[in-house]
């Protein structure tokens, strides 16, 4: 994914928000949530929030071993690639 990510965390604890290229497998539970949301016809914004939560957990918080409490938002998706 190439997207702009926004962050919610304590001041001075993270890099500036900006565009990043991220290659990251999402946890199976996140994929399940994405497929279920798509089947329900959820909005694109809801699908982006689910993807952002998965990326926050695995990429930014390293499976919750760092950056505890960091909230991540996708603010501008330029490219997404999905492999099953």
């Amino acid at each position: 994914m190439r997207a702009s990510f926004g962050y919610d965390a304590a001041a001075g604890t993270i890099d500036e928000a900006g565009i990043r290229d991220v290659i990251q497998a999402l946890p199976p539970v996140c994929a399940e949530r994405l497929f279920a949301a798509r089947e329900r016809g959820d909005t694109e914004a809801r699908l982006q929030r689910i993807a952002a939560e998965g990326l926050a957990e695995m990429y930014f918080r390293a499976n919750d071993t760092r950056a505890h409490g960091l909230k991540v938002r996708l603010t501008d998706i330029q490219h997404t690639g999905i492999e099953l």
Side-chain angles (χ1 to χ4, degrees), residues 29-76:
V29 68
C30 182
E32 290 172 12
R33 290 178 58 213
L34 280 168
F35 284 121
R38 184 171 171 246
E39 288 296 314
R40 284 191 308 269
D42 284 5
T43 65
E44 183 71 22
R46 177 69 183 134
L47 296 172
Q48 287 180 11
R49 282 193 302 274
I50 293 168
E53 290 165 8
L55 288 171
E57 178 183 341
M58 300 307 294
Y59 180 78
F60 293 97
R61 294 193 309 258
N63 202 19
D64 288 327
T65 61
R66 64 178 178 170
H68 301 283
L70 178 68
K71 305 284 187 213
V72 177
R73 294 179 315 280
L74 293 174
T75 58
D76 179 32

Side-chain angles (χ1 to χ4, degrees), residues 1-4 18-21 74-81:
M1 171 177 290
R2 180 174 176 80
S4 181
I19 293 178
R20 289 183 185 237
D21 292 307
L74 293 174
T75 58
D76 179 32
I77 297 174
Q78 296 180 357
H79 169 77
T80 301

